[in-house]
Amino acid sequence: MKRGNVKQFLTFFFVTIVICLVFTAMGYGEVSLVHVVLPQTASIAVGERLNVDIQIANAQDVVGYELTVGFDPAVLRYIGGGNADYLSEGAFALSPIVLNSTVHIAATSVIGVASANEGTLATLTFEVITARESTLKLRDVILSDSAGMSLPVTTRDGRIETTRAFSAMDVNRDRKVNILDLTLVASNLRVASPTTPRADVNEDGTVNILDMVLIAQQLDVVREGELENEVGVIPVHTKEPVISTRPPIDFAGEKAAIQVVYSEFYKAFNDNDLKAIAETFRTNDAKVAFGTIFAGNEPVPIAFGWTNVKVAIEGLWIGIGTKGSKWGRDDVLKDFWIRYKGSKIEASAIGYNCYKGSFPGETHLYLMKEEKDGWKIHELDSSTENNLGIFGFHKGKPRLKEAGRFFSTDADKVPE
């Protein structure tokens, strides 16, 4: 890939800084709460609209947010909505992304931190299409501060339950019309303030013989289960927040595991063992990358995708020959940057230039930890000393990235 093409390619990257937030309940302090609020309190019939607010509380230094609301499409149909007024006026908001059972919303302020510590992030409107219990679930909630770093957050879902219509003659609501209901009406005859308001069966304002006649006509006619129907939903709220926690990173253990992976690559590279190299790379990812810079200020094109990476590596072997020659000073990684990327862990590391033993320089790695297979190399390149500055790289600082996700050397570097 020519330098011009590389530059053009990189212009499509967006820069997102993700900081590792390692905390426990004792360390939260004022953790922001993002929660579903259902402002309507009365029963909502099928065909009517349900309003949903996504609110924030205990917020500090919030500049942007991103979240997904999950819903049951058999119960609710999304009508519309989007960013509300918590962020400063003129916030840049993306149009909601609506799929079958989710609504994704994101917005960021263009003038600074939100002034309030609570408010409404977004509002949504749904139509009730079936009277059935359902939960509105918050997923993948991210709060951003002005430095583009994520803030600790807890979430709380919202829930709707069904409401039922009872027969007017079922005065005691036991799902039967019998002598018990008739007795309740009789005990409230001509009483100024009936102890059982439902005794006024015909709702004419007076409990009298007409109400008793209506019940008498229905005695044992309506069977159990025939007296109520699901006619709508009523909003309720879950009580306990879901705390977004991630276990602390074992930095010493992760450094050791990354070193093992790199040592395996280093040995396989010098032994021309492509199969062993493949075991150290994230070969199932189309973004996997490999490249280097030789003496003479000429960059070798960056190879993307495992098929192209294999060709690039084999080209180095054929062009120069390496088997058993131990390119590079040694396989020791000297600097590490490790942090969370969502629920996964990512890392960058620097060692000595592993491609050209006679030319000092640096090898840079970007790795991701797989759930099953552990650490895998996602990007790897080396540069000679004189080319670090020429090609815009800074000695001793991580320069590899995935889709523009740069590391912060201050926040993520692991102490020696």
Side-chain angles (χ1 to χ4, degrees):
M1 184 182 292
K2 296 181 180 179
R3 289 180 61 189
N5 292 336
V6 173
K7 183 177 180 181
Q8 184 178 13
F9 177 77
L10 291 177
T11 59
F12 290 97
F13 284 153
F14 64 93
V15 179
T16 306
I17 301 176
V18 182
I19 186 170
C20 169
L21 293 171
V22 180
F23 48 83
T24 62
M26 292 298 294
Y28 283 157
E30 291 295 318
V31 179
S32 297
L33 170 67
V34 175
H35 56 129
V36 175
V37 175
L38 305 171
Q40 293 154 289
T41 57
S43 176
I44 303 166
V46 172
E48 294 182 341
R49 294 190 173 188
L50 171 70
N51 298 318
V52 178
D53 292 342
I54 310 301
Q55 295 189 0
I56 188 170
N58 299 329
Q60 295 182 4
D61 303 322
V62 175
V63 171
Y65 71 89
E66 181 177 0
L67 58 87
T68 298
V69 179
F71 63 93
D72 185 348
V75 177
L76 301 173
R77 182 173 68 86
Y78 175 74
I79 299 295
N83 180 56
D85 58 0
Y86 174 71
L87 297 179
S88 302
E89 185 177 355
F92 176 76
L94 301 180
S95 297
I97 300 173
V98 184
L99 300 179
N100 179 54
S101 61
T102 60
V103 182
H104 185 79
I105 303 171
T108 185
S109 171
V110 295
I111 61 174
V113 173
S115 58
N117 61 5
E118 61 181 31
T120 303
L121 294 174
T123 58
L124 304 174
T125 302
F126 295 88
E127 178 188 354
V128 178
I129 58 177
T130 304
R132 186 188 304 169
E133 183 174 314
S134 181
T135 301
L136 291 128
K137 297 182 178 180
L138 284 171
R139 306 174 184 170
D140 304 322
V141 177
I142 301 174
L143 298 179
S144 174
D145 67 9
S146 58
M149 296 182 179
S150 60
L151 297 166
V153 61
T154 65
T155 64
R156 188 167 63 204
D157 299 331
R159 188 162 55 89
I160 54 177
E161 295 181 347
T162 57
T163 59
R164 299 174 183 273
F166 290 85
S167 168
M169 276 69 73
D170 182 14
V171 179
N172 65 355
R173 295 296 192 257
D174 66 353
R175 298 179 173 84
K176 299 176 183 179
V177 177
N178 54 28
I179 192 63
L180 300 179
D181 301 295
L182 190 61
T183 300
L184 278 175
V185 174
S187 66
N188 285 274
L189 286 176
R190 298 184 179 86
V191 175
S193 299
T195 57
T196 305
R198 288 190 299 273
D200 182 13
V201 175
N202 62 2
E203 298 182 347
D204 64 356
T206 304
V207 179
N208 54 31
I209 192 65
L210 298 177
D211 300 298
M212 295 184 67
V213 169
L214 288 173
I215 292 177
Q217 291 174 343
Q218 296 295 319
L219 287 180
D220 297 325
V221 173
V222 183
R223 298 292 182 263
E224 183 176 358
E226 296 177 352
L227 297 174
E228 57 177 329
N229 295 296
E230 295 179 343
V231 296
V233 298
I234 188 166
V236 296
H237 299 286
T238 55
K239 297 180 180 179
E240 298 298 328
V242 178
I243 300 175
S244 303
T245 60
R246 296 178 294 197
I249 296 175
D250 177 7
F251 290 102
E254 303 299 0
K255 285 172 62 176
I258 292 169
Q259 179 62 66
V260 168
V261 173
Y262 181 64
S263 295
E264 290 174 352
F265 164 81
Y266 182 82
K267 181 179 185 301
F269 188 82
N270 281 291
D271 290 344
N272 292 22
D273 188 344
L274 193 56
K275 182 179 179 181
I277 288 178
E279 293 176 354
T280 67
F281 266 82
R282 196 180 183 196
T283 57
N284 61 345
D285 195 321
K287 297 178 183 178
V288 64
F290 178 92
T292 187
I293 301 171
F294 284 129
N297 304 334
E298 291 296 330
V300 172
I302 299 172
F304 292 95
W306 180 240
T307 299
N308 295 328
V309 168
K310 288 192 296 184
V311 171
I313 291 175
E314 289 173 334
L316 290 175
W317 289 342
I318 294 170
I320 299 176
T322 63
K323 193 167 186 179
S325 63
K326 276 202 171 181
W327 281 18
R329 171 176 160 180
D330 57 48
D331 62 347
V332 177
L333 294 173
K334 55 185 180 178
D335 292 307
F336 296 82
W337 290 259
I338 304 175
R339 69 185 180 192
Y340 269 105
K341 178 185 178 183
S343 61
K344 297 182 179 180
I345 302 177
E346 62 181 356
S348 186
I350 294 178
Y352 295 103
N353 177 18
C354 68
Y355 294 152
K356 295 277 284 183
S358 58
F359 293 92
E362 293 180 346
T363 286
H364 291 233
L365 301 171
Y366 173 79
L367 310 95
M368 292 193 68
K369 190 175 182 180
E370 305 285 345
E371 292 182 4
K372 295 181 178 179
D373 301 326
W375 287 103
K376 295 291 183 181
I377 298 171
H378 190 280
E379 299 182 39
L380 184 152
D381 66 27
S382 267
S383 174
T384 53
E385 185 84 13
N386 61 314
N387 285 322
L388 283 169
I390 292 175
F391 290 99
F393 305 133
H394 301 285
K395 184 176 180 181
K397 295 184 178 180
R399 56 189 168 91
L400 290 179
K401 57 205 172 294
E402 183 191 38
R405 297 183 183 274
F406 290 92
F407 278 80
S408 165
T409 56
D410 293 331
D412 305 310
K413 188 170 183 180
V414 180
E416 297 181 2

